Amino acid sequence: MLNAEILRDAEQRRLTWRCRRGMLELDIVLQRFVSEQFGSLTLAEMEQLDALLELPDNVFWDLIQGIKAPTGDLKPMAALLQKLSASRPTAEQETR
């Protein structure tokens, strides 16, 4: 059990580092998502997040905002993209 916790912690740190992006809006959403929802991710969702992090910032941001729908290899990641979208700041939070 302890080894699994250590591995999960290491994976969270690795993904947190990979979530640092050049686009501020994307960086904010990803950091919030990892801090609030990482503990509930399945292994499959962690792998999907890892794959999404390979996308260019603009493409990734459009998917999170729902401007573009996931197609092809990204289609199975629709549920994870919805979780990411839920981590976007609300208009009230943005004005603080």
Side-chain angles (χ1 to χ4, degrees):
M1 184 75 165
L2 185 57
N3 286 338
E5 290 173 11
I6 291 170
L7 289 174
R8 188 169 187 83
D9 185 53
E11 184 65 5
Q12 182 174 6
R13 284 193 314 270
R14 185 185 75 79
L15 285 174
T16 299
W17 179 255
R18 290 205 60 219
C19 285
R20 297 175 57 121
R21 307 301 283 217
M23 179 186 287
L24 178 61
E25 297 89 341
L26 187 54
D27 190 46
I28 291 168
V29 169
L30 291 172
Q31 295 300 322
R32 177 182 284 181
F33 175 78
V34 169
S35 69
E36 293 176 356
Q37 297 190 38
F38 186 85
S40 66
L41 293 181
T42 65
L43 181 57
E45 288 174 323
M46 283 186 238
E47 290 172 352
Q48 291 174 352
L49 178 58
D50 210 22
L52 288 169
L53 292 169
E54 295 294 326
L55 296 172
D57 284 358
N58 291 340
V59 173
F60 196 6
W61 183 241
D62 287 350
L63 288 167
I64 289 173
Q65 287 190 294
I67 294 171
K68 291 185 180 178
T71 58
D73 292 342
L74 299 177
K75 208 167 194 173
M77 300 176 194
L80 180 61
L81 286 164
Q82 287 179 333
K83 287 181 180 183
L84 284 159
S85 181
S87 293
R88 291 187 339 212
T90 63
E92 181 181 306
Q93 291 169 327
E94 288 179 351
T95 59
R96 288 185 198 168

